[in-house]
Amino acid sequence: MEEDITKNLIRKSGMTTSEDFTDKLLLKIESEKTVHPLLGYRYTRMRHYAIFGIIGVGAGLFTLIYFGFLPEFNVFDFQFKINRIPLLIITTWLLLLGANHILKMQHSANLHGKS
Amino acid sequence: MTSNKEIDAAIIERIKKGDTHAFRQLVDKYKDVSLSLACAVLKDKAKAEDVLQDVFIKVFHKANSFKHQSAFSSWLYRIVINTSYNELKRDKNHLKLEGIHSYEPLTNERTPIQNLKEEDQKKYVVLALEKLKPDEALVLRLFYLCDMPLKEVQKVTGFTSSKIKVDLHRGRKNMEAVLKNLLGNQINDLW
């Protein structure tokens, strides 16, 4: 079959979408826009719980250590004692690290939501 | 005079700002050709429309990543083709293409082509294209329907130029064979 004939025939074969194709598409996009903020709201609430959880557990540990709970354990008759000050420093550092990470996540989620 | 590429670029800039009216304009401009390309691969209009919906949603969200290095149409067609082939791979139950010689004519009595309306002629050509392998039908449509030069077809499909030439040649031959099978000697009246 010659080229110009093929071209002519294939031009005849152009297809058309259904009439409501574009409307359906725009409707889908609009519905996605309304779903995203809802998801964002859900995750924001989850992050709040996570922050309060970390702060709660951290504060509990801090109090226990401060008021004399010092871990001691024996391994083959060697007694291990952990001092209060380094433990407090490590707990505080971990607490701040966790809170910082969650706040950063929240900040980037807010920026994403705005865009 | 403003070129097609510049018009598309202006529309995309509006889409980047969230203008859905501009998006509608773009969809209306490209939806039919995109459907023809998706159909060339998937051989199923309903499925092709579903794929196109996903493609255009992807385009709407990824408009920011379009850098105007190539024509928008090439970018879009590349997404359409890749998504269609992915869908084809995913659909494990898709019908295996029959051999080119096993096609049955539409009716036992062949209709004289001169009696066919333009719409019926189109139907036969679409049917013939549906019987071709996805690669052949795709290359034929890109080359003849979209008027793309060989290099552009290469960019959009990722096929080598020799494969494209072979597919074009085989596509033309197979299409003629299918049309002959469907219409008999009346095929000569098509041209």
Side-chain angles (χ1 to χ4, degrees):
Chain A
M1 196 155 62
E2 284 173 25
E3 277 214 60
D4 49 336
I5 297 168
T6 317
K7 192 173 187 168
N8 191 26
L9 286 179
I10 289 176
R11 291 241 157 130
K12 281 181 189 171
S13 77
M15 304 180 88
T16 45
T17 54
S18 54
E19 272 182 24
D20 57 347
F21 178 85
T22 314
D23 293 329
K24 263 192 206 167
L25 178 69
L26 290 172
L27 210 68
K28 268 190 194 173
I29 289 172
E30 283 303 314
S31 62
E32 270 189 4
K33 274 184 188 171
T34 50
V35 168
H36 280 157
L38 283 175
L39 283 175
Y41 173 72
R42 216 179 90 194
Y43 287 121
T44 309
R45 285 195 64 173
M46 279 169 67
R47 275 194 297 272
H48 282 155
Y49 286 129
I51 288 175
F52 287 125
I54 282 188
I55 290 171
V57 171
L61 270 175
F62 196 91
T63 318
L64 277 174
I65 294 164
Y66 189 78
F67 287 107
F69 168 75
L70 290 172
E72 266 181 27
F73 48 94
N74 292 307
V75 179
F76 302 116
D77 285 341
F78 290 102
Q79 197 178 40
F80 290 90
K81 253 191 175 178
I82 299 168
N83 288 329
R84 182 184 294 172
I85 300 299
L87 210 59
L88 276 176
I89 290 170
I90 290 169
T91 317
T92 316
W93 184 69
L94 285 175
L95 188 72
L96 290 173
L97 208 70
N100 181 47
H101 179 70
I102 287 172
L103 287 171
K104 259 188 193 171
M105 269 171 59
Q106 194 165 12
H107 181 65
S108 61
N110 286 343
L111 282 180
H112 181 76
K114 274 178 195 167
S115 71
Chain B
M1 211 173 90
T2 325
S3 72
N4 197 27
K5 201 174 169 181
E6 284 166 356
I7 295 170
D8 286 350
I11 296 176
I12 289 158
E13 285 312 309
R14 283 164 56 203
I15 294 173
K16 284 180 184 177
K17 290 171 190 159
D19 184 346
T20 43
H21 181 71
F23 183 63
R24 177 184 279 272
Q25 229 178 307
L26 201 76
V27 171
D28 285 340
K29 186 173 175 185
Y30 287 107
K31 63 181 182 179
D32 291 339
V33 177
S34 301
L35 180 73
S36 296
L37 297 180
C39 250
V41 177
L42 293 165
K43 318 282 181 197
D44 181 334
K45 195 182 170 192
K47 207 177 278 177
E49 278 206 10
D50 288 344
V51 163
L52 269 199
Q53 292 266 338
D54 293 342
V55 166
F56 279 116
I57 289 173
K58 221 183 273 180
V59 166
F60 183 77
H61 292 305
K62 304 250 173 189
N64 281 320
S65 66
F66 179 65
K67 303 288 179 218
H68 303 283
Q69 283 162 344
S70 58
F72 170 77
S73 55
S74 305
W75 185 66
L76 172 71
Y77 297 156
R78 204 162 44 231
I79 301 176
V80 171
I81 292 165
N82 288 340
T83 316
S84 303
Y85 273 110
N86 286 342
E87 181 63 30
L88 191 68
K89 271 184 212 163
R90 206 168 38 196
D91 185 11
K92 288 173 187 167
N93 300 323
H94 79 269
L95 293 171
K96 283 194 172 177
L97 291 167
E98 299 165 59
I100 197 81
H101 300 296
S102 64
Y103 303 136
E104 291 298 320
L106 281 182
T107 53
N108 290 333
E109 285 177 30
R110 284 163 178 160
T111 324
I113 193 74
Q114 62 267 35
N115 293 345
L116 293 177
K117 288 178 194 163
E118 183 86 359
E119 197 54 35
D120 292 327
Q121 284 185 16
K122 181 184 165 179
K123 214 162 64 186
Y124 280 107
V125 176
V126 169
L127 200 71
L129 282 169
E130 270 178 19
K131 303 282 183 193
L132 300 184
K133 286 180 181 167
D135 290 1
E136 291 170 4
L138 180 67
V139 167
L140 282 177
R141 279 195 159 132
L142 283 169
F143 198 72
Y144 294 115
L145 184 70
C146 306
D147 247 339
M148 268 191 188
L150 207 73
K151 272 196 170 175
E152 197 67 26
V153 178
Q154 216 177 324
K155 262 194 217 168
V156 168
T157 55
F159 298 161
T160 59
S161 71
S162 51
K163 177 177 167 44
I164 295 168
K165 283 176 192 164
V166 169
D167 280 341
L168 277 174
H169 178 71
R170 282 190 187 151
R172 279 198 302 266
K173 260 184 99 177
N174 291 340
M175 195 173 132
E176 188 179 1
V178 178
L179 282 172
K180 262 187 186 161
N181 202 7
L182 293 170
L183 299 162
N185 291 332
Q186 308 291 339
I187 190 179
N188 297 326
D189 298 326
L190 260 180
W191 37 84

